[in-house]
Amino acid sequence: MPALLAGYREQRVLRRGAGRVAAAAADALIEVVLMDLRMPVMGGVDTIRELRRVAPSVRVLVLTTFDTDRDVLPAIEAGATGYLLKDTPREELLRAVRAAHRGEAMLSPAVAGRLMGQVRAPAREALSERELEVLRLVAAGATNREAARQLFISEATIKTHLLHIYAKREVRDRASAVAAGFQRGLLLPDGR
């Protein structure tokens, strides 16, 4: 990375280190962080979250080889200012760093196209109030029998609700349904 930015007077590489970005943010000189998503100590998304927590004014520009939905959305949701691929030409990368410094969002064309496709995709059907109740109980660790008893319905009805939840969230099992519920804000850490 230092070689890529060499020769540009406004660009200085202050620190490098996998998973240590949040600690480095205490240094008031850091304004923009270029970050990969795959790091050995702490993953990029977790590091972005931590960085946003300890130094909210620092801009994070993801620079990675990964452009899948599994990588892009969590990074942006965690607070990344931009998302570029490592094959981005040098001049474009420098423009992106300057733009990130100004607080402007920057996306590589491939990532922007992927996000546009998701926005244009038909919206998923919302969960019913009863399905949300079932999902909350499952998230709290209830078995089908326990959930049925609490909601005064049969276990078969609980299973039917779970199948509807799986279909609507496009998941295959209870754990994935709960994870999707937290990711989409349907479930809150306090159990609501």
Side-chain angles (χ1 to χ4, degrees), residues 9-48:
R9 61 180 159 66
E10 72 269 40
Q11 313 298 331
R12 287 185 292 155
V13 176
L14 298 174
R15 292 199 182 139
R16 298 184 328 184
R20 304 198 195 298
V21 176
D27 186 338
L29 298 175
I30 295 178
E31 296 174 311
V32 177
V33 172
L34 295 178
M35 182 180 305
D36 200 342
L37 291 180
R38 303 290 196 269
M39 299 186 297
V41 177
M42 179 187 287
V45 171
D46 290 335
T47 303
I48 293 168

Side-chain angles (χ1 to χ4, degrees), residues 78-185:
T81 304
Y83 198 107
L84 299 174
L85 301 179
K86 286 188 177 178
D87 62 357
T88 300
R90 181 179 179 192
E91 290 301 319
E92 190 176 325
L93 175 60
L94 292 169
R95 276 193 302 277
V97 169
R98 291 181 189 113
H101 183 260
R102 293 188 302 267
E104 298 170 9
M106 295 297 300
L107 300 173
S108 74
V111 170
R114 181 177 301 283
L115 291 176
M116 291 290 288
Q118 287 184 352
V119 169
R120 289 181 181 143
R124 291 183 184 159
E125 187 179 349
L127 298 183
S128 70
E129 190 57 41
R130 181 59 85 168
E131 289 164 348
L132 282 171
E133 290 175 319
V134 170
L135 185 60
R136 286 183 191 115
L137 289 170
V138 168
T143 64
N144 288 353
R145 176 174 286 154
E146 292 166 341
R149 190 173 25 240
Q150 288 186 40
L151 296 176
F152 304 103
I153 57 179
S154 71
E155 281 187 66
T157 303
I158 291 290
K159 290 177 183 177
T160 299
H161 285 308
L162 285 171
L163 290 174
H164 291 162
I165 292 167
Y166 299 165
K168 289 178 180 181
R169 295 298 103 197
E170 298 178 7
V171 297
R172 297 181 194 192
D173 56 37
R174 295 165 73 95
S176 298
V178 169
F182 280 111
Q183 286 177 335
R184 299 294 175 217

